[in-house]
Amino acid sequence: ADAATNIIRDDFNMKLSGSASGASGTLYGPGMYFTDSITKADEYTREDNNGLRCVLLVRVVGGRVNRCEDVAPDADALRTNILQGLNDSVLGDRLKCRGTFREYVCFDAAQVYTEYVLSYRRKLPPKAT
């Protein structure tokens, strides 16, 4: 929840992307990672002292999207395309190449607008005896 509060107050901080915080991805290069799956988003959450988890529901402007279906993408080449203006974002289609989830990666905080903050508790089914 602290990270969400910071993002809402100060916007996304690109200096933290790809950092050792454990919350940032680097498969497609240092950027802001988003998904269309709450299950995937939940993987990156941490429980606070009250047992709450937090995700942000955001609007992302992809612009010219580079769809990447590679199992082992070349993050440097993807980033070069962004820096050269060929693309504005990356769609890492892990659903197509691995059967998991899609990841949307932006490299400019101006591409993202936080719409909602969702706080929740995981409710796991009872263990079978």
Side-chain angles (χ1 to χ4, degrees):
D2 289 340
T5 301
N6 291 339
I7 290 169
I8 293 164
R9 185 185 60 231
D10 302 324
D11 208 357
F12 287 88
N13 186 341
M14 288 302 299
K15 293 177 183 173
L16 297 176
S17 67
S19 68
S21 68
S24 302
T26 57
L27 183 63
Y28 301 99
M32 298 169 292
Y33 283 62
F34 304 96
T35 182
D36 52 14
S37 167
I38 190 64
T39 303
K40 179 66 177 174
D42 179 70
E43 290 178 11
Y44 292 101
T45 66
R46 295 183 192 140
E47 199 172 274
D48 71 8
N49 294 335
N50 298 315
L52 289 174
R53 294 175 180 273
C54 182
V55 294
L56 301 176
L57 182 61
V58 301
R59 292 180 187 257
V60 174
V61 178
R64 293 174 304 238
V65 179
N66 184 350
R67 183 182 189 131
C68 180
E69 299 172 357
D70 299 340
V71 172
D74 182 344
D76 291 333
L78 294 170
R79 180 106 171 121
T80 297
N81 285 348
I82 299 291
L83 294 172
Q84 291 178 349
L86 301 174
N87 300 108
D88 300 303
S89 63
V90 174
L91 163 55
D93 198 343
R94 307 303 283 173
L95 182 63
K96 178 141 188 178
C97 72
R98 288 284 195 193
T100 57
F101 303 100
R102 289 182 195 93
E103 296 187 59
Y104 303 85
V105 188
C106 296
F107 302 89
D108 183 343
Q111 292 176 263
V112 184
Y113 174 77
T114 302
E115 192 78 32
Y116 296 100
V117 178
L118 307 176
S119 296
Y120 63 97
R121 283 186 177 86
R122 283 184 183 164
K123 185 173 181 180
L124 301 175
K127 293 184 179 184
T129 56

